[in-house]
Amino acid sequence: MPVQRLVPTQEAADLLDLTRQIARDELAPKVVAAEADEQFPREVFRTLGRAGLLGLPYGEEFGGGGQPYEVYLQVLEEIAAVWASVGVGVSVHGLSCFGLATKGTDEQKQRLLPDMLGGELLGAYCLSEPHAGSDPAAMRTTAVRDGDSYVLTGEKAWTTHGGQADFYKVMARTSDHRSRGISCFLVPADAPGLVADPPERKMGLTGSTTALMRFEGVRVDADRRLGEEGEGLPIALAGLDAGRLGIAAVAVGLAQGALEDALAYAKERETFGVPIVEHQGLAFLLADMAAGTETARAMTLHAARLKDAGLPYSQQASIAKLVATDNAMKVTTDAVQVLGGYGYTRDFPVERYMREAKVMQIFEGTNQIQRLVISRALAKGGAVTTAVAPAEFALA
């Protein structure tokens, strides 16, 4: 059941075709074994980078794809429909490049971005701490200036690609001011004193390594700071808006994959002499799964198009993340129900989809935090904004 997509150019349509081909030929044959063995698929990210799929929303002058966010998110969705762990990894890598792309100097960009966007260097994002998840301003990790360098000390929790990444985008405190005392650094993985704890033992996304990172007097050259001192929290929060759209797209892809597997099973499995898809009770369940997934996709792309138009989109990003991840949880749970007893076994992937969906309601800001962001935006009010869309679109 291919997804009908509206994209702005033929180049974007070709990118989606390329993504589907790579997902089919390179990702699908590896996903079951890697998730079962909890193996991180580092080479897959090199493949995606060399195909130009890791840096799509960034400028072509530094090796990016120069694509609008609405195209990038649909590529991300196609990846996640086959392998959610890789979809999450692509989103996190993109988030780890955000600070450099938006606040880095020309020299920093020229020196670092091409390998980052090309997949030769894989990134990780260090914001949360064991005591400070939804409240990043409460972080305790410090960066103390010492001549031409900074010395970082502290811990960062729930780091996707922790122990596997080649560089870490790190938020650390450079003064005691709660919101303006945080700065942003790019820390190379081989920096002395940077240590990864053993990976977390997770319910799902077992092909994606998550670890606590320890900064034990890690010395970083001052030219690894992004932006000015004290600009770290705005950089982090701006990146999170984009990151929430990435996770929303991953959740849509996961729901789409679950729907397709459930539908295929319902067409083959027979009871009372007919395929179970012809039983109204089950058919309506599948219809609700399709409606929820299309709705989540539409909201995610609406927020992306606002971002592409240079309009405020923070509230819409939170709505997209909330709607898409709650829908993914429901759709994957219903997919297990469609398969019945088989859905509860590891002989079919839907039980894995269900386990993977749960964390999407938690990371990149819990869905309770999204409701807080949305409700605060409603309390502040604001005008409805209208933008002119591009004149030409293509179906892919």
Side-chain angles (χ1 to χ4, degrees):
M1 187 181 64
V3 176
Q4 188 178 41
R5 298 192 181 278
L6 193 64
V7 293
T9 63
Q10 184 58 47
E11 181 184 9
D14 293 342
L15 276 170
L16 284 163
D17 287 341
L18 173 64
T19 304
R20 294 186 193 107
Q21 178 186 345
I22 291 174
R24 181 186 65 243
D25 297 342
E26 301 292 336
L27 273 62
K30 300 179 175 71
V31 57
V32 173
E35 291 293 327
D37 296 338
E38 302 186 10
Q39 294 297 311
F40 181 71
R42 179 63 178 89
E43 195 57 37
V44 164
F45 290 95
R46 291 191 179 92
T47 298
L48 294 174
R50 290 164 186 165
L53 300 181
L54 285 188
L56 285 178
Y58 295 108
E60 293 177 298
E61 66 272 26
F62 297 112
Q67 292 295 314
Y69 231 71
E70 66 163 308
V71 173
Y72 165 63
L73 293 185
Q74 292 183 80
V75 166
L76 195 54
E77 182 193 328
E78 291 283 353
I79 293 170
V82 174
W83 197 344
S85 287
V86 173
V88 168
V90 172
S91 180
V92 168
H93 177 75
L95 182 59
S96 69
C97 297
F98 178 84
L100 177 58
T102 57
K103 288 295 184 178
T105 65
D106 287 342
E107 187 278 329
Q108 287 174 323
K109 293 176 186 178
Q110 291 167 2
R111 176 161 48 95
L112 298 170
L113 261 184
D115 282 344
M116 291 162 64
L117 300 182
E120 295 307 310
L121 297 179
L122 184 67
Y125 183 71
C126 295
L127 177 63
S128 295
E129 298 185 0
H131 63 282
S134 296
D135 181 14
M139 71 175 60
R140 298 173 186 164
T141 297
T142 59
V144 178
R145 187 71 184 247
D146 182 20
D148 293 332
S149 61
Y150 288 84
V151 178
L152 277 63
T153 304
E155 298 177 346
K156 292 294 182 178
W158 311 114
T159 304
T160 300
H161 302 161
Q164 300 286 348
D166 300 296
F167 69 93
Y168 295 82
K169 177 183 173 183
V170 183
M171 304 300 165
R173 185 165 293 285
T174 47
S175 82
D176 292 334
H177 194 284
R178 177 172 166 82
S179 60
R180 295 193 298 273
I182 295 169
S183 301
C184 181
F185 301 88
L186 278 183
V187 180
D190 59 359
L194 179 56
V195 179
D197 273 8
E200 304 287 354
R201 300 180 63 194
K202 306 194 304 287
M203 177 191 295
L205 296 180
T206 50
S208 175
T209 302
T210 305
L212 184 142
M213 301 300 299
R214 299 182 186 275
F215 296 81
E216 300 173 351
V218 175
R219 186 172 293 273
V220 180
D221 290 342
D223 67 359
R224 285 269 179 165
R225 189 191 69 216
L226 302 179
E228 300 299 323
E229 279 197 4
E231 288 188 337
L233 192 57
I235 292 173
L237 296 180
L240 283 178
D241 283 339
R244 284 165 182 166
L245 290 184
I247 294 305
V250 170
V252 172
L254 179 62
Q256 184 68 38
L259 170 61
E260 291 176 2
D261 280 13
L263 181 60
Y265 181 86
K267 288 179 177 179
E268 294 177 0
R269 173 73 167 171
E270 292 188 1
T271 60
F272 305 104
V274 297
I276 61 174
V277 72
E278 296 184 20
H279 296 297
Q280 190 177 80
L282 194 64
F284 283 7
L285 184 64
L286 290 164
D288 286 343
M289 293 163 68
T293 302
E294 288 283 2
T295 300
R297 177 178 295 115
M299 184 63 230
T300 301
L301 292 178
H302 170 62
R305 287 164 183 150
L306 289 177
K307 174 176 167 53
D308 289 334
L311 297 171
Y313 73 100
S314 180
Q315 179 186 3
Q316 287 75 21
S318 285
I319 293 173
K321 197 270 183 183
L322 170 66
V323 169
T325 58
D326 278 356
N327 176 71
M329 190 72 251
K330 182 179 187 304
V331 167
T332 55
T333 302
D334 288 344
V336 172
Q337 191 72 21
V338 170
L339 270 69
Y342 290 113
Y344 199 66
T345 72
R346 297 194 177 184
D347 295 333
F348 292 83
V350 291
E351 61 83 28
R352 172 167 57 82
Y353 299 158
M354 182 177 171
R355 290 185 285 108
E356 290 171 340
K358 184 62 216 175
V359 75
M360 297 183 191
Q361 296 176 302
I362 298 171
F363 58 19
E364 294 290 357
T366 67
N367 283 6
Q368 287 69 34
I369 287 293
Q370 306 314 318
R371 289 176 169 89
L372 180 64
V373 171
I374 296 162
S375 62
R376 284 178 174 173
L378 292 173
K380 290 179 180 178
V384 176
T385 305
T386 302
V388 178
E392 296 180 358
F393 284 85
L395 286 175

